[in-house]
Amino acid sequence: MKVKIHTPFFEVGVKNYLYGDDVLQLAKAADAAAIKYDIDVLFLAPYADIRRVAENTEKLIVFAPYMDVLYPGRGMADVLPESVKAAGAKGVVLNHCERPMTLSNLRKSISRARELELLSFVCADTIEETKAVAQLHPDIINPEQSDKIGKGGEIDAQYIRESIHAVKDIDPNIIVEQAAGIQSGEDVYRCIYMGAEGVGAASGVCNSQNPCKMVEEMIRNVRLAYENMRKKGDTLYHVV
């Protein structure tokens, strides 16, 4: 059975910024903050660390950074979907700009994820691509402009709102995250207030002076934004 994501959530990606014990240290800090603020946290772990992170945290929802479309058997060096699930992953990231996929392969990968009851977390760049991805009905879509990934700057409110509407007009059950350019707790707060059901960061956490402190600040701001919205009578797009 698939894990249920409660919104608003936070997502932290490691990519190759950290490795070894530093990954586990960040995972434990994110897990502690997830428990403290009662926020679901998706942790995108490197393949080599999926099992260690999953077995040493309590609340984190661990995702694999990618998987291939194949079944047990031949396929040297390919990423077997069954293997990431067996290691403890509850979901998989697909179509990140650093690992782009054709729509055909993306469709097959989402189908494989469904077979294994893994959550599918799909990235998209433009509004047009976001609409195309939404037609495949993944669990989560992360519309993020590729030229803003890994960079700070002004949060594009128009893009956030347009991308959310683009997804919800096709399938209101798809959860929509915003991620590119997130560098601070304030960025997280603003994205939640603009309608994002989840916010994610990789370089904004991993390249900060203190990644463990930064991840706690960002998770805290998810909770703060949500509580302030509730006080004003505002609601998120969708709560699972």
Side-chain angles (χ1 to χ4, degrees), residues 94-95 122-126 129-130 133 141-146 159:
L94 301 168
N95 199 45
V122 182
C123 301
D125 185 353
T126 63
E129 185 179 12
T130 298
V133 169
I141 293 182
N142 174 25
E144 55 179 356
Q145 296 161 297
S146 58
Y159 177 84

Side-chain angles (χ1 to χ4, degrees), residues 1-9 38-40 42 59 61 119 138-141 168 171-177 196-198 226 235-240:
M1 185 174 181
K2 284 185 183 180
V3 170
K4 297 290 186 181
I5 303 294
H6 298 85
T7 59
F9 67 89
D38 192 22
I39 291 293
D40 279 357
L42 282 51
K59 189 173 171 62
I61 302 170
L119 292 165
D139 297 292
I140 305 167
I141 293 182
K168 297 298 185 178
D171 184 348
N173 292 313
I174 298 173
I175 298 171
V176 186
E177 177 189 299
E197 295 167 290
Y226 183 48
T235 59
L236 292 169
Y237 245 101
H238 179 69
V239 179
V240 178

Side-chain angles (χ1 to χ4, degrees), residues 214-231:
M214 179 58 75
V215 80
E216 195 273 346
E217 176 189 334
M218 289 186 175
I219 294 169
R220 179 175 64 85
N221 272 273
V222 174
R223 169 55 63 189
L224 183 61
Y226 183 48
E227 291 300 329
N228 286 344
M229 288 174 69
R230 290 178 64 187
K231 288 176 184 177

